[in-house]
């Protein structure tokens, strides 16, 4: 019997060519898997494509709810923004896709799994590490990395082998989409000095063309995750979809930044992440209302470490789960409502409230009737200045 290889299949040119290449090079049968994480592709078309190219079986797995609940929600609680900008959309989906690949590989008694990542990006690391950790018995095949074909050579190979070439190919961009965001690379974007052309955006209108009237949206949180939009209870998936549409229609969520890939390459990255942008802004603001100064300060360090681990393909590292334990503990009090104003490309928090708010109007007010006695401050400042004063006195004596 032939060996079986389970391939993560997007339906694009790279993974289509990979089906045929694996069959030829490894004399193996190929089973394809497409995991729906909200990429909004035609799944029936993808399935028929995979059969046309020669896969013996295709699995289409709807993992949208699971993606939001088990991957996006932890990222929200961690305020995850890599290098302060990127909400980790692609990075979060990879370990989920690997879980599904491995499930299918075991069911099919396959000996290897395959993915279409190149040898220059983060995705190869995320796929390979997660596979090695969760299924060390499986071989890993990365045809695009191994084969090292140029785009033109790939197209020639596809034409020669009767592999359908997706119409999207006349667009020079490389796109990856899921519910938490859309990433656009290649073409003119590779020149970081050039403004991204309008045509790369699909989920957001140009801020100039956004409605001239602002729209307000309220997001209700319970234990650190969004549970309502404008007071209406919705499933986690529905909330993300609703906010992608709402914020996107106001031109919110466009991100353009210089990113440091794990493999040491700097790259210019463009994203559209409307829901992520508003949810993270609102979540951070609510945390600042309910957590103490010390919790907030310490949590920032935890967040940076969490975000780096996930970006760098280490979702399955125990430290990530250890950090989640801490984060989840803090989120027990992150309940309340945040209202944002959506207007021409920006989302601004205009209101926050929580039954667990630590804000005390009687302390904060500049009115004369306050519970804060200003005399307390004098002694406090005396002590606060002590160490700095001591150092300064030494310095004035010429001692370093
Ligand atoms: N730079 C982002 C990341 O590393 C986006 C990667 C997009 N991946 C892709 N195969 N197009 O997460």
């Amino acid at each position: 019997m032939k060996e079986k290889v389970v391939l993560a299949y997007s339906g694009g040119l790279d993974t289509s060519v990979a089906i045929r290449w694996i069959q030829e090079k490894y004399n193996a049968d190929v089973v394809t898997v497409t995991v729906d994480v909200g990429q909004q592709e035609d799944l029936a078309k993808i399935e028929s494509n995979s059969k046309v190219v020669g896969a013996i079986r295709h699995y289409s797995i709807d993992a949208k709810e699971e993606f939001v609940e088990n991957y996006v929600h932890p990222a929200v609680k961690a305020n995850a923004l890599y290098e302060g900008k990127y909400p980790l959309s692609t990075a979060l989906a990879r370990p989920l896709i690997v879980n599904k690949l491995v499930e299918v590989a075991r069911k099919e008694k396959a000996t290897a799994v395959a993915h279409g990542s190149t040898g220059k990006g983060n995705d190869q690391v995320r796929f390979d590490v997660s596979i090695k950790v969760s299924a060390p018995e499986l071989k890993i095949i990365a045809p695009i990395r191994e084969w090292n074909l140029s785009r033109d050579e790939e197209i020639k190979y596809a034409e020669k082998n009767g592999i359908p070439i997706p119409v999207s190919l006349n667009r020079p961009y490389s796109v990856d989409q899921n519910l938490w965001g859309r990433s656009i690379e290649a073409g003119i974007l590779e020149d970081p000095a050039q403004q991204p052309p309008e045509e790369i955006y699909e989920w957001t209108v140009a801020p100039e063309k956004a409605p001239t009237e602002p729209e307000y949206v309220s997001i209700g949180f319970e234990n650190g995750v969004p549970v309502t939009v404008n007071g209406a209870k919705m499933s986690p998936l529905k909330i993300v979809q609703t906010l992608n549409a709402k914020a996107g229609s106001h031109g919110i969520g466009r991100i353009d930044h210089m990113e440091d890939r794990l493999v040491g390459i700097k790259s210019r990255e463009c994203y559209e992440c409307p829901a992520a942008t508003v949810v993270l802004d609102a979540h951070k603001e609510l945390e600042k209302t309910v957590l103490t100064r010390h919790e907030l300060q310490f949590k920032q360090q935890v967040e940076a470490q969490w975000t780096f681990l996930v970006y760098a393909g280490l979702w399955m590292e125990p430290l990530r789960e250890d950090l989640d334990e801490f984060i989840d503990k803090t989120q027990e009090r992150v309940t309340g409502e945040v209202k944002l104003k959506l207007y021409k490309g920006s989302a601004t928090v205009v209101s926050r409230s929580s039954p667990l708010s630590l804000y005390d109007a009687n302390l904060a007010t500049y009115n004369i009737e306050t519970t804060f006695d200003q005399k307390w401050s004098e002694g406090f400042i005396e002590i606060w200045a002590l160490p700095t004063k001591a150092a300064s006195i030494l310095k004035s004596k010429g001692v370093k």
Side-chain angles (χ1 to χ4, degrees):
M1 221 174 72
K2 273 189 179 176
E3 288 199 17
K4 263 190 221 160
V5 176
V6 174
L7 167 71
Y9 185 63
S10 71
L13 179 68
D14 285 350
T15 50
S16 294
V17 162
I19 296 178
R20 193 65 57 84
W21 185 80
I22 293 168
Q23 290 170 332
E24 282 175 3
K25 166 122 196 241
Y26 293 91
N27 187 31
D29 280 331
V30 176
V31 173
T32 49
V33 177
T34 302
V35 183
D36 183 4
V37 281
Q39 60 270 49
Q40 301 177 17
E41 300 277 356
D42 182 344
L43 296 170
K45 182 91 203 303
I46 291 177
E47 165 149 21
S48 73
N49 249 6
S50 109
K51 296 285 174 55
V52 169
V53 186
I56 60 158
R57 214 172 348 279
H58 177 78
Y59 289 78
S60 187
I61 301 172
D62 181 355
K64 295 196 288 295
E65 295 274 1
E66 188 179 349
F67 179 53
V68 175
E69 285 169 35
N70 298 345
Y71 297 81
V72 169
H73 278 181
V76 171
K77 296 191 235 180
N79 293 319
L81 284 177
Y82 180 66
E83 294 182 330
K85 289 276 194 177
Y86 165 45
L88 296 182
S89 33
T90 297
L92 289 166
R94 296 316 189 193
L96 167 60
I97 295 171
V98 168
N99 282 343
K100 301 300 174 198
L101 272 184
V102 167
E103 261 172 49
V104 173
R106 290 191 172 144
K107 183 162 167 220
E108 291 280 346
K109 300 194 173 21
T111 50
V113 288
H115 60 78
S117 308
T118 73
K120 295 179 86 173
N122 298 313
D123 288 325
Q124 54 170 344
V125 182
R126 298 167 184 152
F127 275 113
D128 287 9
V129 170
S130 297
I131 295 163
K132 283 174 196 292
V133 171
S134 58
E137 76 278 10
L138 291 172
K139 279 180 293 200
I140 300 171
I141 304 173
I144 306 305
R145 179 171 66 192
E146 262 179 61
W147 204 10
N148 203 15
L149 279 196
S150 74
R151 199 95 179 139
D152 287 345
E153 289 167 323
E154 247 185 70
I155 292 170
K156 270 204 203 100
Y157 178 90
E159 279 167 349
K160 214 176 84 210
N161 288 276
I163 296 170
I165 297 175
V167 280
S168 58
L169 256 202
N170 49 26
R171 287 266 181 112
Y173 305 112
S174 156
V175 172
D176 184 62
Q177 292 185 174
N178 64 48
L179 285 151
W180 208 227
R182 181 167 181 271
S183 136
I184 316 101
E185 293 170 298
I188 191 171
L189 300 173
E190 288 181 357
D191 179 354
Q194 296 285 331
Q195 180 175 343
E198 193 50 39
E199 62 171 11
I200 70 163
Y201 297 111
E202 285 184 9
W203 291 6
T204 55
V205 301
E208 302 87 317
K209 298 217 173 109
T212 48
E213 285 299 311
E215 180 179 352
Y216 290 86
V217 63
S218 284
I219 306 177
F221 288 85
E222 240 166 62
N223 303 120
V225 298
V227 289
T228 61
V229 173
N230 292 334
K233 221 167 168 58
M234 290 177 197
S235 73
L237 171 60
K238 185 88 188 126
I239 288 181
V240 173
Q241 289 168 330
T242 304
L243 293 175
N244 268 332
K246 258 194 206 310
S249 74
H250 287 275
I252 291 158
R254 294 185 174 188
I255 298 159
D256 171 3
H257 85 134
M258 294 301 290
E259 189 167 301
D260 287 283
R261 293 191 190 154
L262 184 67
V263 293
I265 301 171
K266 272 200 191 293
S267 71
R268 189 275 190 93
E269 301 280 330
C270 294
Y271 304 98
E272 292 179 281
C273 307
T277 301
V278 294
V279 169
L280 291 171
D281 269 3
H283 179 261
K284 274 185 267 184
E285 188 64 18
L286 182 58
E287 280 193 334
K288 281 158 71 177
T289 310
V290 300
L291 298 183
T292 69
R293 180 215 308 210
H294 303 290
E295 287 178 305
L296 290 168
Q297 257 176 25
F298 184 72
K299 186 166 179 284
Q300 275 190 15
Q301 299 174 43
V302 173
E303 290 169 1
Q305 188 70 43
W306 193 99
T307 302
F308 179 72
L309 288 176
V310 174
Y311 183 82
L314 297 179
W315 176 267
M316 294 181 186
E317 157 65 41
L319 177 60
R320 200 263 312 158
E321 288 180 26
D322 300 340
L323 299 178
D324 272 334
E325 287 283 316
F326 166 79
I327 293 172
D328 281 343
K329 180 77 186 132
T330 64
Q331 301 302 294
E332 287 174 4
R333 281 177 287 130
V334 184
T335 294
E337 187 140 312
V338 178
K339 193 201 270 183
L340 302 107
K341 175 179 172 178
L342 313 181
Y343 183 63
K344 291 212 174 273
S346 62
T348 318
V349 172
V350 294
S351 141
R352 71 292 282 153
S353 60
S354 165
L356 300 167
S357 171
L358 297 179
Y359 175 79
D360 182 342
N362 287 325
L363 287 175
T365 180
Y366 283 110
N367 282 346
I368 210 78
E369 301 92 38
T370 172
T371 49
F372 188 97
D373 184 342
Q374 300 193 38
K375 283 205 293 291
W376 300 342
S377 290
E378 285 178 37
F380 163 74
I381 295 166
E382 213 45 70
I383 293 166
W384 184 239
L386 267 184
T388 314
K389 255 168 70 186
S392 164
I393 288 165
L394 260 194
K395 203 172 171 195
S396 68
K397 290 182 183 154
V399 187
K400 278 230 171 91

